[in-house]
Amino acid sequence: MKKIQFLICLLFSVHLAFAQPTEKQIKVQVSADHPDWLYKPGEKVNFSVLVSKNGSPIPQVKIRYEIGPEKQEPWKKDIQVLANGSMQLDGGTLSAAGFLRCIVIAEVDGKEYRNLATVGFSPNLVQATVANPSDFDAFWDKAKQDLAKIPLDAKMTLMPERCTEKTNVYHVNIQNFRLGARLYGILCVPKKTGKYPALLHVPGAGVRPYAGDIANAEKGMITLQIGIHGIPVNLDPSVYADLGAGILNGYPTYNMDDKDRFFYKRVYVGCVRANDFLTSLPQFDGQNLAVTGGSQGGALSIVTAALDNRVKYVGAYYPALSDVTGYLFNRAGGWPHYFDKNSRAVNETKAKLETIAYYDVVNFARRLKVPGFYSWGFNDETCPPTSMYAAYNVISAPKELYLALDTGHWNYPEQVEKMTNWLTNNLIK
């Protein structure tokens, strides 16, 4: 029973960031009158609303809706009864680059059903708001120099129950940013003798175990999926639940008033340390290394590729930690929303603003030099598209963006397939 529970948790961890929401019998559909959901500033948008059951409109259904810039106070709220289950809503416009959102909640048989549509106004013109410190590069060069002084001290434990005919699977831990601090992960290595490319998986937010990426290892690559909390990633699921609700609750804000002690410093250099381990393996081909992840992992993918010139390709879904200061300029900022209306009073201090500039994804995106594949949707309420475009727009390296407009903080299978194919085609030549 314990093994079954563990495997279920592992499967959940793989799909956590990418799982499509469960289908419902009653659906609220919200769409825009431009099929690409793109507008020019000053151009009017009309939203269409349809509430249906088994594909047929529901008559006399009551809705309430709100329209306004994403993650900001709506400028329009109303309640309507849809005689024929559908209606058009005047969405107005934006005068500058950004995103406008319409949220609709329908009430059917005493239960509420919610959906939204978010349209972009010249998103490629969204500009970053976060400061770009003059000593940014010196700060991170020093951090990497300090890391290089710490012995790797790698330890690998074979996991026979996870191994396949083609792949060996290991629970690994290596020394991270200081003596005694460890970084844990699941390593998958093809059994066949040879040299292989490597793929580093960096994690989304939260505290959980990991299964490792056996599927891509079976294709002929080394994969390493890491955690960031300095704890083994193969423990009983209850351990992670306890830590997530306890000592690690709120970890993204730890030591935010000190750029040298901020929580994410150990995380960012830990991703570089993971590459130290991958590139030390005798099976590594010495050339082809990529990094990928979603949300917090999307952020870490960009950060790692910018910090480590051994990385040749980056694949990022909806990167978090992007232009987090947007809220200070009356627009959406990135997860974890340090400066939104609920957190601004606590976090808007000189020390914290100084710290965050060294960790914002925008400033790493400016420094990217390798090809990247990126994917997100306009309806993401966790990582607002305004914040992600602020980072994407400063990338000068080769880049490709695959949009799945109506997705929120999740992926369609087609997105995952395109990302996987892009990474595989670049790594396995």
Side-chain angles (χ1 to χ4, degrees):
M1 179 60 70
K2 183 176 180 181
K3 183 176 180 181
I4 293 173
Q5 183 185 26
F6 184 55
L7 290 175
I8 290 172
C9 189
L10 288 174
L11 288 171
F12 174 74
S13 76
V14 171
H15 293 285
L16 183 70
F18 307 135
Q20 185 176 346
T22 304
E23 284 289 326
K24 295 182 174 66
Q25 185 181 30
I26 294 171
K27 297 181 180 179
V28 177
Q29 296 171 265
V30 189
S31 59
D33 53 354
H34 284 193
D36 60 2
W37 289 16
L38 292 174
Y39 297 79
K40 296 177 181 178
E43 191 174 6
K44 182 179 176 181
V45 55
N46 289 302
F47 292 103
S48 296
V49 179
L50 171 64
V51 184
S52 63
K53 181 177 182 180
N54 300 324
S56 299
I58 302 175
Q60 300 301 316
V61 64
K62 184 171 75 172
I63 68 165
R64 65 180 189 273
Y65 70 89
E66 59 183 50
I67 298 172
E70 57 163 353
K71 307 299 285 186
Q72 302 293 300
E73 287 298 316
W75 59 40
K76 185 176 183 180
K77 291 184 177 182
D78 201 2
I79 297 175
Q80 294 282 344
V81 175
L82 313 187
N84 299 310
S86 65
M87 75 176 302
Q88 298 283 318
L89 298 175
D90 180 357
T93 188
L94 292 182
S95 60
F99 285 84
L100 182 67
R101 177 165 289 166
C102 176
I103 300 174
V104 178
I105 299 173
E107 184 179 318
V108 181
D109 296 330
K111 186 174 180 179
E112 293 186 340
Y113 299 84
R114 180 183 186 273
N115 207 346
L116 67 155
T118 311
V119 297
F121 288 80
S122 299
N124 290 332
L125 299 180
V126 170
Q127 296 184 3
T129 63
V130 70
N132 184 16
S134 59
D135 64 340
F136 182 92
D137 295 308
F139 176 80
W140 286 108
D141 285 345
K142 174 65 163 53
K144 289 188 291 182
Q145 290 166 11
D146 291 342
L147 177 67
K149 298 173 185 176
I150 305 298
L152 192 61
D153 188 29
K155 300 176 182 179
M156 299 170 53
T157 303
L158 186 68
M159 305 175 74
E161 74 281 3
R162 296 284 295 148
C163 295
T164 69
E165 183 179 349
K166 295 181 179 180
T167 304
N168 279 326
V169 181
Y170 303 87
H171 185 254
V172 302
N173 77 88
I174 55 181
Q175 201 156 227
N176 191 4
F177 66 106
R178 68 179 179 216
L179 293 175
R182 310 299 293 185
L183 178 74
Y184 293 83
I186 302 294
L187 174 72
C188 302
V189 183
K191 287 182 177 179
K192 185 178 179 180
T193 301
K195 298 290 186 179
Y196 298 97
L199 177 62
L200 174 65
H201 286 270
V202 284
V207 190
R208 65 182 73 87
Y210 294 98
D213 180 8
I214 296 174
N216 278 314
E218 301 269 279
K219 297 175 185 177
M221 66 178 78
I222 302 164
T223 65
L224 175 62
Q225 186 177 42
I226 62 169
I228 62 169
H229 297 296
I231 53 177
V233 295
N234 63 344
L235 303 177
D236 188 273
S238 64
V239 174
Y240 306 100
D242 290 345
L243 288 170
I247 191 64
L248 291 176
N249 183 32
Y251 70 81
T253 64
Y254 289 177
N255 298 320
M256 191 176 163
D257 55 357
D258 184 340
K259 66 179 184 292
D260 290 307
R261 298 177 60 245
F262 184 41
F263 178 84
Y264 277 107
K265 186 174 184 181
R266 65 176 291 169
V267 176
Y268 289 8
V269 298
C271 293
V272 175
R273 179 42 50 110
N275 284 341
D276 290 341
F277 171 69
L278 274 173
T279 57
S280 75
L281 294 172
Q283 298 93 336
F284 178 57
D285 69 10
Q287 179 64 31
N288 296 294
L289 172 63
V291 58
T292 189
S295 192
Q296 177 186 263
L300 297 179
S301 298
I302 294 172
V303 168
T304 307
L307 285 177
D308 191 345
N309 61 16
R310 293 171 297 187
V311 175
K312 298 300 186 290
Y313 307 99
V314 56
Y317 299 101
Y318 31 76
L321 289 155
S322 297
D323 204 45
V324 298
T325 51
Y327 290 105
L328 305 180
F329 295 82
N330 300 312
R331 73 179 205 205
W335 181 92
H337 309 291
Y338 292 123
F339 304 106
D340 69 3
K341 64 181 180 181
N342 299 315
S343 305
R344 183 169 180 172
V346 174
N347 290 330
E348 192 181 2
T349 68
K350 181 180 178 180
K352 291 180 179 180
L353 286 168
E354 177 185 344
T355 293
I356 209 63
Y358 291 89
Y359 293 87
D360 197 292
V361 166
V362 165
N363 289 330
F364 293 91
R366 298 182 196 277
R367 293 161 169 86
L368 276 178
K369 297 179 181 179
V370 297
F373 188 92
Y374 307 86
S375 187
W376 57 71
F378 284 3
N379 283 345
D380 198 323
E381 296 178 88
T382 302
C383 295
T386 299
S387 69
M388 295 187 286
Y389 270 99
Y392 184 79
N393 290 344
V394 301
I395 297 173
S396 59
K399 59 185 178 181
E400 182 178 349
L401 175 60
Y402 180 73
L403 291 172
L405 296 174
D406 64 335
T407 58
H409 206 57
W410 49 274
N411 289 324
Y412 283 122
E414 293 86 347
Q415 286 173 274
V416 178
E417 182 180 7
K418 286 182 179 294
M419 177 72 78
T420 301
N421 288 343
W422 187 87
L423 289 166
T424 301
N425 291 339
N426 279 295
L427 287 174
I428 302 176
K429 302 173 183 178

